[in-house]
Every structure is written in structure tokens, then in C-alpha cells.
Amino acid sequence: MRLRWPLFILIGLSLASGSVFAEPSRLVTADGAITEIVYRLGQESRLVGVDTTSGYPQQTAELPKVGYLRALPFEGVLALKPDMLITSEQAAPARNLERLARAGVRVAQLPSRWTAEAALERILSVGELLGAAEEAQALVAGVEADIRRIQQNTGNRDYQPRILFILAAGNHSVMLAGSETAANALVELIGAENAAQGIKGYKPANREAILASRPDAVVIAESTPGQFDIAGWPEVERLEAWQSGHRLVADSMFLLGFGPRLPEAMAALNDALPGQREIAANDP
């Protein structure tokens, strides 16, 4: 994989990577994948707060929560007296990020892209911001090797499996993941095909579309454990893939975060797929 130089924007300073500034001693992160990177780099002692998408590793439960990534409160973040906030392009509202920058907080926003290369670049960027470039390079080397190994295994298939990806999010909403989503990107990373054809983005689950999808595996991404209740979705339960055990129910940040656990997410999807013999038996 060809990686670019670490890339981020410092709000208020309008600077890209390579700026000279003191390493932060009081850090807030607002993005679950970024928080995971901080821990993997061994820099968690700097953390004084995280957002609500940051639930891994378990130690994050001991930190103050500053709110949801897309609705970050100015006062809630500033009250922790951070000298840096590292977040992603998904962070909002922009006016609160700008107010934090004016208040003296270095606000670094990292690009949000759903590719293996972007996941590795994000690690390098966090390492650059925290003065842990060597640790970041070592982590990238390990994650990249794992991604390559998994893709070599999945590249040996002589068929393209179909995965139905369902997102169970807040307020008990259930959505199908179509094109231009992190879910679709993850499916394609393991050489599979999205069974939700003709859908763009995340759309409310259509019961007829579920039955017509004929997936080889069903993946459920839950924002909280137990969010998806199969008893309320007989159409999913009737799918051959579900009945034959080719299904995965997992945490949405684990599957969709595109953080350091990306290889594990790819492997989990691949493990849910049937073998070639089962695929042939299920073909109409």
C-alpha cells in the first residue's frame, strides 16, 4: 500500500502536518477509531476525555465523556482543560470546533475515508500529533501485514460471496447498508459483494428487499449490545444464510471504525462466509 505523509488540519491555524508545537499533555479524542489508536500507541495517559463513540478498549469507560462526535459541546470539552482535541471530519458542529480553537485548544481534524490506506494514514497522523511517530510506524507495519495476509486468503476464492449488512443504530432503527458506506467498503475489502443492490447510503430496512437479497452471510452491526432483536425481523431469520449459521453480530465501531482493529473486522466478516461447496449448493 502506498501511504501518503500523515495528513491533518489544525483548525484556527490552518496548518497541515509538519507544524511545530509542544506535544499535548491533556488530550481529548472524539472518534472511536482515533481513541483506539491513542491506546495502541501507548499514549493513553494523556487522555482526559473521549466522546461517546469511544468505547474500546474497556479503560475508556473510566474517562469523562464529552458527548457525541457529531454534536460536540463547546463547554463540555473546554471544561476538561485540554490542550488538544483530535477528531475527524465527521465532527460537528463546526462553530464549536472553531470556538475551541479560539479558546486555545489545538483542534486537529483527520480525514474520514473508508480504505485500508486511510486507516494506516490515520495511525501515522495521530503518531505525528502526539510525538509518537516511531510507535505509529511500528503499529502501521503490523496492521498492514495483517491486512495483506487476510486479503491474500480471500483472494483465493473462485466465487464472489454476497453479504447483507444491517446497521442497528440508536432509537432501535434498523437500516440496510448500501453503496458509499463504511459497511460497503468493508465488504469489498474482503472481495465480497454487497447484497443490498440499488441502495445508496444507509436506508431503513425494507422487508421485501431483505428477502430478495439472497445473501451468503448476514452481518449485523449494533451501536449497543442487543440493539438488534431478531424476533422483530422474521424476514432476516428466514434467510438461508441466517438459518445455516452464516451470520455475524458485532459492535458497529469494531466493524465500521476503520481503526487499528480493521484486520480483525475483515477476518470476522470472512469467517462468517460459507465455503465454496455451500455456495454451490445454495445457487438457484
Side-chain angles (χ1 to χ4, degrees):
M1 301 177 194
R2 296 188 60 184
L3 303 183
R4 299 179 298 173
W5 183 252
L7 180 65
F8 49 85
I9 296 296
L10 290 173
I11 293 179
L13 299 180
S14 299
L15 297 176
S17 171
S19 304
V20 177
F21 48 79
E23 296 170 12
S25 59
R26 295 183 62 82
L27 173 68
V28 171
T29 53
D31 184 287
I34 293 172
T35 302
E36 289 185 32
I37 294 170
V38 172
Y39 276 89
R40 291 289 294 271
L41 295 180
Q43 303 298 312
E44 65 272 16
S45 62
R46 306 184 189 204
L47 284 169
V48 296
V50 297
D51 78 317
T52 55
T53 70
S54 301
Y56 183 89
Q58 189 174 357
Q59 296 94 306
T60 57
E62 302 171 3
L63 292 168
K65 293 293 193 292
V66 297
Y68 177 46
L69 168 66
R70 298 179 185 271
L72 291 176
F74 169 73
E75 293 81 3
V77 175
L78 195 62
L80 297 177
K81 300 180 180 179
D83 43 33
M84 176 170 279
L85 165 66
I86 305 180
T87 185
S88 69
E89 290 177 336
Q90 300 179 56
R95 64 179 180 277
N96 284 353
L97 299 179
E98 293 166 357
R99 289 177 66 193
L100 286 168
R102 290 196 298 270
V105 180
R106 293 193 297 268
V107 180
Q109 280 191 283
L110 279 58
S112 297
R113 291 183 291 117
W114 304 310
T115 66
E117 292 80 4
L120 300 177
E121 289 166 3
R122 193 175 300 118
I123 294 172
L124 294 176
S125 293
V126 174
E128 181 78 6
L129 288 164
L130 299 182
E134 290 187 9
E135 293 88 340
Q137 289 283 357
L139 178 56
V140 161
V143 173
E144 182 176 11
D146 289 342
I147 291 173
R148 288 186 182 277
R149 175 179 51 80
I150 295 167
Q151 288 186 322
Q152 286 174 353
N153 292 336
T154 60
N156 293 329
R157 300 193 198 100
D158 55 3
Y159 70 100
Q160 187 176 37
R162 293 164 52 85
I163 296 177
L164 181 65
F165 207 114
I166 297 174
L167 177 64
N171 299 322
H172 302 286
S173 62
V174 175
M175 294 176 284
L176 298 183
S179 62
E180 299 184 18
T181 63
N184 188 77
L186 182 62
V187 167
E188 292 183 346
L189 262 182
I190 64 165
E193 179 184 8
N194 192 337
Q197 296 295 308
I199 295 177
K200 181 178 179 180
Y202 294 101
K203 302 297 182 184
N206 179 292
R207 298 176 187 272
E208 290 73 21
I210 290 172
L211 289 173
S213 63
R214 298 185 61 85
D216 298 304
V218 179
V219 176
I220 311 291
E222 296 182 315
S223 59
T224 58
Q227 190 97 54
F228 182 79
D229 182 6
I230 187 62
W233 290 91
E235 291 82 4
V236 175
E237 193 171 25
R238 286 166 54 189
L239 292 173
E240 174 64 26
W242 187 275
Q243 293 183 7
S244 60
H246 296 297
R247 58 183 188 254
L248 169 67
V249 180
D251 175 69
S252 59
M253 181 53 65
F254 166 65
L255 293 174
L256 306 177
F258 275 71
R261 292 185 291 166
L262 177 58
E264 290 92 326
M266 293 170 61
L269 251 68
N270 190 54
D271 289 346
L273 291 170
Q276 173 63 36
R277 185 173 299 177
E278 292 176 272
I279 289 285
N282 290 336
D283 280 344

